Amino acid sequence: MKFRLAIAVLPLIALAGCGGSNSTGNSSAPAAPVAAVPAPAGQNWAETSAQTPEGGYRLGNPNAPIKLVEYGSRTCPTCGQFGREGMEPLIKNYVSTGKVSYEFRDFLVHGAPDLAAALLGTCGGAQPFFPLLEQMYQNQNGYLDKLQKISPEAQAKFASMKPNEVATTLAEQMGLIDFVKQRGIPEAKARACLNDQAKLEAAAKLSDDAAASGTVTGTPTFLINDQKADAVSWGQLEPLLKGAGA
């Protein structure tokens, strides 16, 4: 499915496509430990974020010797579990050292619900991106519960709506507009992001490209220095980071 041509609402009663290992792993010997890289004066790697040319958002040292990329879905329960359990130790123990950079790329595994969350999650730009992502995962059960309660009659109406209209309606019904309002994004700005056709196309292209390349078949998918990692949880990922020298 081309996401940019078919930002559809998948059946909301079953959030599929996330969880379970879809990775190749790496059987090579552990790498030699890498040295910590101090941040420039007045900076903190754990607070240094930027959008990447690929369309994701990176936290940490842009020249870190270990580059971690996650393709994740904000409506994926397995991604949510990683966010709740892994983001804090990942940032505190690895990103802050300058050894590891962490890039998150939204993958629209659940179509329009993910689109709505991604458009709002990127609405504030790079600086609030990771705090907002972590807070979305902390509160994931609340908006997933609202998503599951959308009636079949309401879902049927989405077929005649434009993708941005579906995203806006879902954001309202999932409570995500109020969620980001409480975290510094004015409602007018949130609605403008949901109706930004260029942002929609960019989000869809990011998912399309990853799917077409075969890189991502489910979420979360982690890459360590461009190699797919055999991990979907923090408990599985941390030893691989250590094995890469972190």
Side-chain angles (χ1 to χ4, degrees):
M1 178 179 72
K2 289 290 185 181
F3 290 97
R4 60 177 170 269
L5 298 179
I7 300 292
V9 180
L10 303 186
L12 302 184
I13 58 172
L15 295 177
C18 64
S21 177
N22 58 4
S23 308
T24 61
N26 189 335
S27 59
S28 60
V34 299
V37 182
Q43 296 186 37
N44 180 341
W45 288 136
E47 298 175 355
T48 302
S49 56
Q51 187 170 14
T52 66
E54 292 78 11
Y57 286 80
R58 180 189 60 241
L59 185 67
N61 177 9
N63 298 311
I66 301 169
K67 295 176 171 58
L68 173 67
V69 175
E70 177 188 357
Y71 284 91
S73 154
R74 297 172 194 252
T75 65
C76 167
T78 307
C79 300
Q81 183 175 354
F82 173 81
R84 292 186 293 274
E85 296 178 354
M87 285 188 68
E88 182 178 356
L90 169 61
I91 294 169
K92 179 180 179 181
N93 299 330
Y94 297 94
V95 174
S96 66
T97 67
K99 298 179 182 183
V100 178
S101 64
Y102 171 44
E103 181 179 348
F104 184 89
R105 300 175 184 174
D106 278 285
F107 188 80
L108 310 181
V109 72
H110 296 135
D114 273 328
L115 176 66
L119 290 175
L120 290 176
T122 59
C123 193
Q127 196 59 37
F129 178 90
F130 285 95
L132 190 56
L133 175 65
E134 186 171 7
Q135 290 171 34
M136 277 191 169
Y137 280 144
Q138 292 290 344
N139 292 272
Q140 187 188 63
N141 289 340
Y143 61 79
L144 289 187
D145 183 61
K146 293 176 182 177
L147 179 64
Q148 301 286 354
K149 291 178 180 177
I150 298 175
S151 69
E153 292 77 16
Q155 294 180 46
K157 295 179 181 179
F158 294 151
S160 62
M161 298 166 65
K162 296 179 180 179
N164 289 111
E165 294 172 336
V166 177
T168 299
T169 300
L170 283 170
E172 292 170 344
Q173 295 180 352
M174 294 164 68
L176 289 176
I177 293 177
D178 286 338
F179 179 87
V180 297
K181 278 173 58 179
Q182 294 167 7
R183 289 157 178 83
I185 297 177
E187 181 172 349
K189 183 174 182 178
R191 291 185 179 276
C193 287
L194 288 163
N195 285 286
D196 189 324
Q197 185 65 25
K199 285 177 69 68
L200 184 153
E201 291 287 337
K205 184 177 187 301
L206 181 60
S207 291
D208 280 344
D209 290 348
S213 71
T215 301
V216 183
T217 56
T219 56
T221 291
F222 295 101
L223 307 178
I224 298 176
N225 290 342
D226 295 325
Q227 297 298 309
K228 192 177 291 189
D230 188 10
V232 295
S233 69
W234 176 240
Q236 294 169 338
L237 181 65
E238 185 176 26
L240 300 180
L241 291 174
K242 291 180 177 179

